[in-house]
Amino acid sequence: MKPPGQEEFEASSAHENVPAGELDSGPGPGPSPDDPSDIDCRELGVPKDPLLFIQLNELLGWPQALEWRETGRWVLFEEKLEVGAGRWSAPHVPMLALPSLKKLRSLLAEGLVLLDCPAQSLLELVEQVTRVESLSPELRGQLQALLLQRPQHHIQTTGTRPCWGSPHSRKASHSEEALLKEQHQNPLRQKLPPGAEAGVVLVGELGFLAQPLGAFVQLRDPVVLGPLTEVPLPSRFFCLFLGPPTLGRGYHEMGRAAAVLLSDPRFQWSVRRASNLHDLLAALDAFLEEATVLPPGRWDPTTRIPPPKCIPSQHKRLSSQLREAKGLSAPHPAPDEDRHRHGPHVSSPELQRTGRLFGGFVQDVRRKASWYRSDFSDAMHPQCFSAVLYIYLATVTNAITFGGLLGDATDGAQGVLENFLGTAVAGAAFCLMAGQPLTILSSTGPVLVFERLLFSFSRDHRLDYLPFRLWVGIWVATFCLVLVATEASVLVRYFTRFTEEGFCALISLIFIYDAVGKMLNVTHAYPIQRPGSPAYGCLCQYPGPGGNESQWTRTRPKDRDDILSMDLGLVNVSLLPPPECAQRGGHPRGPGCHTVPDIAFFSLLLFLTSFLFAMALKQVKTSHFFPSVVRKVLSDFSSVLAILLGCGLDAFLGLATPKLMVPREFKPTLPGRGWLVSPFGANPWWLSIAAALPALLLSILIFMDQQITAVILNRAEYRLQKGAGFHLDLFCVAVLVLLTSVLGLPWYVSATVISLAHMDSLRRESRACAPGQPPSFLGIREQRLTGLVVFILTGVSVFLAPVLKFIPMPVLYGIFLYMGVAALSSIQFMNRVQLLLMPPKYQPDLLLLRHVPLSRVHLFTAIQLVCLGLLWIIKSTPAAIIFPLMLLGLLGVRKALEWVFSPQELLWLDEQMPEKERSIPEKWLEPEYSFSGSDSEDSEPMYQPKAPEINISVN
């Protein structure tokens, strides 16, 4: 005679006894070998244990109808079943009461412990667990029947109501199949990697038991225990804690304590290797030694602590455990390797000098040639398609914005069409030949400033701009080739955060200043005047004598008209007094006719709307509104959406605001010139030699701009596998500078922000993530195809000129302001500037403030502010042509800071120079001795493996 419950158990026995290796644990890919937890295990030389899913089943209904019901589950964090709401709680850090851990320890010490159980099914497991001398045969049979009852699971399938497994409704074979289908459709299953195992904790109160019953079982081979767990995983651990009714929820808390123990990596590591009860209790005691106690009355026990943004590394805990197990010190990563994680690049083979002409360049070519075929095959992934769309729109936005500003800076010598064409040609060639094809070439702020200075110099001295610019480009290419031959790129080892922040802050301020300055020009061109004043008039569209086009009618002062014709870019408008406007067929105050104050007001409105809308969309990514996919799309395309909004408002209101100037045909913006620039034009012959001086300054600027971006892109935290190519990249830039100079196209270097955005769109993350755990960063999908396709599409966009002419210039100025503000707010320098104005009690808990006195932090920030101010002053004076030399001077200032700050302070505030790193004692660089010599939490973040965060705007 079979005990009750065994029949329904045997009905599902066909789904048991599945070997762990044959079980499909979900379609999601498992953790990559580059997973942070794998890195810790490789460094320690220990195998990685499978992920463990723990489920708490509680016996409810005593003394009426007894049933098992799932009330909690753990992977890394705890999820409680909220019965009233019919849902699982948000994952949170579990909190335990010390008495529950003490009761659990005593019950384990007196109960049944099987650490190598050979059971192959739930029935065999139950029979072994109930072989307790204190149980009579009758009680043993009742307990076995009870343990074989199917528990109720709360399974929330997509698009359906929650499913509750019932012991009375699934006795038919089709119901068994339905139950198995529900288990496989559980969304939680998608988040567990292949090879994951399960642990089951059963707790409850039984009136027929006279004393507590405890059992802890580790199966020799994990086995699927039928419907015992909500996810069909092979079970490794089985815990049972039953006893007579007591006051409170003692057994529930004891079960939670057991589940939390099993979810702890160190305890799980110890138990998997335990051989007797003593080892099990030792693991529990080690857990208690590391537990943190919250004082009663100072904390609300019902508060749920959210999971941390970055799960702490288990390196220190596992290494100490290995010392205990092996009796020797666990291996630590080399100091160079640890520092390599956080920024310095001294160990990069690309930055080792060979001592031969073009030696570094040849090594880069050989290194990248072995990866060239995979650079295209690795792009065969759906993620690359979305990256192409995202970066294409960002590149077009950048080309439009910088094209318009370049047209203003050069008085039409170069414009949007040249920027589109040059971006396509230079970018595509760079993606095919470069050492780091993830880099996106573009116009940048510093190069734009130099173009403006060069044009102003040519105009003031009545020189032919494009021929003069051609010789500057020829000399720049020559100087850059010399830098490649002499392996000057190894100097990027000296580019620390101090230099990078000064450079990025200068670029950001240039963006902000130019955007605001352009808007002030618009308001100066159209000041608010009272009706009847001499400068008051209407800006009207009217049919001219030639059909749809008309000519400017000068009814304003000449200087004001010059500003108007430069900023407006419209050909079928005229600025006339209202009476004359009506006589010419216009309609004052009607569609297409706006007074001058209207233009100023609406331009300012579009400027602020595009800026604020782009900033708001960028902040959506970190908000709690909308699904994560929607937030990412809105944030990634913030610039594009802001431009579309501004254009829509302009078109809807029929505003005559200044528009982007684009040519109607595929020809250079400057009338009368061809695509090839004449070497001399009207300039004297000796100017070809004199151009070497500004070319030397531009070479320094291009070297700094290109290599600072390359240093940022090739940081170790991005986990690039194919290496960098500093020398090869600079060689490609030199060739492209020569090509664009001959064609009269803008100069291009690596754009930091848009290149980082490109890498962000190609980041590989683990899909199998435990509830509450952020996806693990696995690296970047390194390939050449996305950039190549982006620039080909950008070249095709040259034929969008009829559409681009409707983009209001105030909208582009607003986007330009947004780029500057977003980039400026993303650097640590701004956080330290805010500390200058913040009382100490309101300052955030920054790591550097724990290790560096506040006065020293302020001194370091003040020095950076002084350097930034000097750079800005020089840029704004007639001596601005030499400001690239001042950028190079930042390296000298950083070197001099070693006389002011100690190595420990510089390690927190900045980074160490290469030769200084070798002189710092290793104990200062190891995480256990981070300036304090303690194992406190203050030093732990120094060792955290960083996943790159890209939180700056796409320019």
Side-chain angles (χ1 to χ4, degrees), residues 660-828:
L660 184 66
M661 296 182 64
V662 292
R664 293 172 176 264
E665 302 174 3
F666 184 74
K667 62 180 182 180
T669 304
L670 186 64
R673 90 166 181 95
W675 285 112
L676 294 178
V677 177
S678 172
F680 294 100
N683 297 331
W685 66 268
W686 53 263
L687 196 63
S688 60
I689 301 176
L693 180 59
L696 177 62
L697 300 175
L698 181 59
S699 300
I700 297 174
L701 178 61
I702 289 179
F703 179 82
M704 295 284 291
D705 204 350
Q706 170 67 30
Q707 300 297 40
I708 285 179
T709 301
V711 166
I712 295 174
L713 294 183
N714 290 284
R715 285 191 177 275
E717 54 259 33
Y718 292 107
R719 301 182 186 174
L720 301 179
Q721 302 297 320
K722 299 181 180 180
F726 295 97
H727 310 281
L728 178 57
D729 288 348
L730 187 60
F731 175 83
C732 294
V733 170
V735 174
L736 293 175
V737 165
L738 179 61
L739 176 63
T740 53
S741 300
V742 171
L743 297 177
L745 304 177
W747 291 314
Y748 299 97
V749 293
S750 299
T752 306
V753 179
I754 198 171
S755 299
L756 285 174
H758 187 207
M759 296 182 68
D760 185 41
S761 65
L762 294 170
R763 60 188 296 156
R764 297 183 296 113
E765 295 178 338
S766 59
R767 289 180 54 193
C769 302
Q773 178 191 18
S776 300
F777 176 74
L778 305 179
I780 303 295
R781 202 172 301 279
E782 302 175 62
Q783 37 72 47
R784 297 179 182 269
L785 198 57
T786 54
L788 182 62
V789 174
V790 163
F791 289 115
I792 291 176
L793 293 177
T794 303
V796 175
S797 302
V798 169
F799 302 100
L800 294 178
V803 178
L804 300 179
K805 68 180 181 180
F806 295 104
I807 299 179
M809 287 301 294
V811 172
L812 298 184
Y813 299 152
I815 298 299
F816 209 56
L817 177 63
Y818 157 68
M819 293 177 187
V821 172
L824 189 64
S825 61
S826 67
I827 56 179
Q828 188 208 68

Side-chain angles (χ1 to χ4, degrees), residues 335-357:
D336 285 344
E337 179 182 353
D338 182 57
R339 294 195 305 272
H340 190 68
R341 290 185 179 187
H342 301 283
H345 322 280
V346 292
S347 58
S348 298
E350 300 90 347
L351 298 179
Q352 299 298 324
R353 190 181 295 275
T354 65
R356 302 186 302 272
L357 284 179

Side-chain angles (χ1 to χ4, degrees), residues 440-452:
I440 299 295
L441 291 193
S442 175
S443 300
T444 62
V447 176
L448 177 63
V449 171
F450 194 89
E451 292 263 24
R452 182 188 297 116

Side-chain angles (χ1 to χ4, degrees), residues 817-935:
L817 177 63
Y818 157 68
M819 293 177 187
V821 172
L824 189 64
S825 61
S826 67
I827 56 179
Q828 188 208 68
F829 168 66
M830 289 305 301
N831 295 332
R832 288 188 277 104
V833 170
Q834 294 175 13
L835 294 179
L836 293 172
L837 309 175
M838 194 179 300
K841 64 179 180 179
Y842 297 117
Q843 292 175 354
D845 186 22
L846 301 177
L847 283 177
L848 64 91
L849 294 180
R850 300 182 185 182
H851 302 277
V852 183
L854 183 62
S855 59
R856 307 291 287 174
V857 175
H858 288 342
L859 176 61
F860 188 84
T861 307
I863 293 175
Q864 281 188 295
L865 285 173
V866 171
C867 293
L868 182 60
L870 290 176
L871 287 175
W872 185 264
I873 292 174
I874 293 176
K875 185 196 77 67
S876 305
T877 62
I881 196 73
I882 67 168
F883 95 99
L885 289 177
M886 303 306 298
L887 287 176
L888 197 61
L890 290 177
L891 295 178
V893 175
R894 170 58 184 84
K895 184 68 176 178
L897 290 181
E898 296 176 358
W899 297 87
V900 181
F901 296 91
S902 66
Q904 304 98 300
E905 292 172 339
L906 289 177
L907 191 60
W908 284 100
L909 293 169
D910 188 30
E911 296 169 359
Q912 291 297 331
M913 302 290 270
E915 66 276 5
K916 277 292 180 182
E917 288 186 348
R918 293 189 292 269
S919 64
I920 297 179
E922 288 186 4
K923 67 177 184 178
W924 288 352
L925 296 172
E926 293 183 3
E928 289 84 0
Y929 304 96
S930 296
F931 312 133
S932 60
S934 67
D935 291 336

